[in-house]
Amino acid sequence: MAREFQRGHKARISDLTAGTDLYVGVQIAGPGLAFDISCFGLDADEKLSDDRYFVFYNQPKSPEESIQQLGAQAGDTESFRVTLDRVPASIHKLSFTATIDGNGQMSQIGPGYIRIVAGGEEVVRYSFTGAEFSTERAVMLGDFYLKDVWRFAAVGQGFDGGLAALLENFGGEVAEEDEQQAPQQPQAAAPPQAGAAPGFAPPPQAAAPAPSFGA
């Protein structure tokens, strides 16, 4: 049974699952809002020292494919595959974030979550609602972080700026043309084809999600 986390809860991944091949699903929505959901691979100083580890709609996987963005599926607005034992030693944290693309604020979102599925079952879920935020335009949802072993933390920290401000916070930069093109991001425009979901994806809205990887 999935463990329900509250903001600030942390656990070793090994206490949640013996698997290292993990599915991360994010559900976030609000009336008239569009979102950019990303993963930042950060170094020991919590900085984006290698921009190849900023995984988002324009760069959907890291060089060795230890982090892959999969798109909307299984009831999740966005999903990722994270293979922890393939993450390079230079990466100490994977921060999953959601930013509003365009106007709006996080107080307008409905109930959402970030969840981890491994070894055929959902092992942890952190749920949140718009009532926890106010004028923020971004939220840091959850982190995988390395502290002797890989761990997961439910973060739920609002952030006043958008994607560019998050990049700056992590020590990265966003090209002007990238920021201008953000509204054309393909996340919502190219949903997975029916029946084409990867085998490790949980079934849509299933009570007992069963990805086949991570055993």
Side-chain angles (χ1 to χ4, degrees):
M1 180 177 294
R3 291 174 59 177
E4 291 282 347
F5 273 22
Q6 303 296 320
R7 180 189 294 177
H9 281 187
K10 303 175 182 179
R12 291 180 295 187
I13 296 296
S14 60
D15 289 340
L16 302 172
T17 174
T20 58
D21 198 2
L22 309 175
Y23 173 100
V24 179
V26 173
Q27 209 289 323
I28 187 169
L33 300 180
F35 296 88
D36 294 321
I37 300 171
S38 311
C39 177
F40 292 84
L42 308 176
D43 62 20
D45 296 321
E46 300 195 3
K47 296 298 182 184
L48 184 69
S49 54
D50 186 340
D51 59 12
R52 296 176 302 167
Y53 290 88
F54 172 35
V55 176
F56 69 122
Y57 60 87
N58 228 15
Q59 183 170 262
K61 59 186 178 182
S62 61
E64 72 299 307
E65 300 187 1
S66 64
I67 313 159
Q68 301 176 55
Q69 188 176 50
L70 306 176
Q73 61 180 309
D76 298 329
T77 310
E78 185 57 83
S79 62
F80 297 83
R81 186 176 189 173
V82 176
T83 312
L84 287 176
D85 54 6
R86 295 178 61 189
V87 175
S90 59
I91 302 299
H92 287 240
K93 177 179 282 190
L94 306 177
S95 181
F96 293 89
T97 69
T99 57
I100 293 176
D101 182 2
N103 296 323
Q105 54 193 34
M106 285 295 170
S107 60
Q108 298 171 265
I109 66 172
Y113 59 77
I114 181 171
R115 63 175 179 155
I116 300 172
V117 180
E121 64 177 331
E122 183 177 315
V123 295
V124 67
R125 176 181 292 231
Y126 160 52
S127 300
F128 51 85
T129 70
E132 300 172 42
F133 307 106
S134 57
T135 60
E136 299 94 335
R137 296 189 57 240
V139 60
M140 290 179 273
L141 299 168
D143 295 338
F144 290 105
Y145 66 100
L146 193 58
K147 185 180 179 183
D148 64 26
V149 294
W150 281 105
R151 303 165 185 258
F152 176 72
V155 180
Q157 179 181 341
F159 198 87
D160 285 338
L163 185 58
L166 263 183
L167 268 166
E168 184 178 354
N169 177 66
F170 291 134
E173 297 179 356
V174 61
E176 187 69 25
E177 58 269 21
D178 289 345
E179 187 70 4
Q180 291 172 351
Q181 291 172 2
Q184 281 79 48
Q185 57 93 5
Q187 173 188 306
Q193 297 178 0
F200 52 78
Q205 303 296 347
S212 61
F213 71 77

